[in-house]
Amino acid sequence: MFDHILVPIDGSPLSALALPVAAEMARCHHSTLTVLYVVLPLPMIYGDSAFAPSNLGASARAKAQGERLLEDAHIAMGSPNIRLLCLEDGDSDIAQAIADVAEQQQCSLVVMGTRGRSEPQHSVLDSVAEEVMCLVEMPVLLIRAPKTAPSQSSETEESQRAAMLEVSA
């Protein structure tokens, strides 16, 4: 059903939630799994004259960090059908860069972590996952972060607050 699954990561706990789900789906469907890291472009500073930081070290460090995250993901999942992609020269809009890769790689599913914000929070803070859903034509599986449990809740209540899956087709 899903021949090629894309899971973008950024080193955050949210993206880490999506990795094992994507890996398990790839195993179940005998799919290729592409793990994507998008290197953020260096910022331009505008004033009397435009200034682009000439610190090539910062760019190299960002790429190295992405490659480390990808290699860690590869080791953690241990599957031979994993492609690692570190995108350096993509769109500066992260969601658009992810959507571009999903289209170029002819992915059949994108798996991403999400905070699952409530409506008031959502209106203020954009969601890359939601933007990706609007940009791609393939299904997007969102892995929702578990809600934090109050300190006095019982083990039963905590187990009921497990991560929830949302599917957008």
Side-chain angles (χ1 to χ4, degrees), residues 122-169:
H122 185 266
S123 62
V124 176
L125 301 168
D126 266 322
S127 167
V128 172
E130 184 176 339
E131 287 182 53
V132 169
M133 284 183 2
C134 293
L135 292 169
V136 299
E137 295 186 20
M138 71 274 312
V140 177
L141 174 64
L142 299 179
I143 309 304
R144 191 169 178 180
K147 294 183 179 184
T148 55
S151 58
Q152 67 263 31
S153 69
S154 69
E155 287 181 28
T156 305
E157 290 172 332
E158 289 177 12
S159 67
Q160 292 174 349
R161 292 186 177 101
M164 297 176 1
L165 301 177
E166 296 178 12
V167 178
S168 164

Side-chain angles (χ1 to χ4, degrees), residues 74-152:
H74 186 257
I75 291 167
M77 291 187 281
S79 172
N81 289 335
I82 296 177
R83 294 181 188 169
L84 305 176
L85 180 57
C86 189
L87 181 64
E88 287 184 83
D89 298 321
D91 196 298
S92 61
D93 176 3
I94 300 296
Q96 185 63 57
I98 294 168
D100 291 346
V101 169
E103 295 295 330
Q104 292 163 0
Q105 298 285 320
Q106 298 178 333
C107 296
S108 50
L109 176 68
V110 178
V111 179
M112 298 180 71
T114 183
R115 284 183 183 85
R117 293 187 175 109
S118 64
E119 194 59 39
Q121 293 168 319
H122 185 266
S123 62
V124 176
L125 301 168
D126 266 322
S127 167
V128 172
E130 184 176 339
E131 287 182 53
V132 169
M133 284 183 2
C134 293
L135 292 169
V136 299
E137 295 186 20
M138 71 274 312
V140 177
L141 174 64
L142 299 179
I143 309 304
R144 191 169 178 180
K147 294 183 179 184
T148 55
S151 58
Q152 67 263 31

Side-chain angles (χ1 to χ4, degrees), residues 19-62:
L19 279 170
V21 173
E24 183 61 27
M25 290 188 74
R27 276 191 275 285
C28 289
H29 293 280
H30 305 287
S31 308
T32 299
L33 178 64
T34 297
V35 182
L36 170 67
Y37 180 84
V38 179
V39 178
L40 296 173
L42 293 175
M44 293 289 291
I45 301 170
Y46 296 97
D48 290 338
S49 62
F51 171 72
S54 60
N55 185 353
L56 295 177
S59 181
R61 283 190 302 275

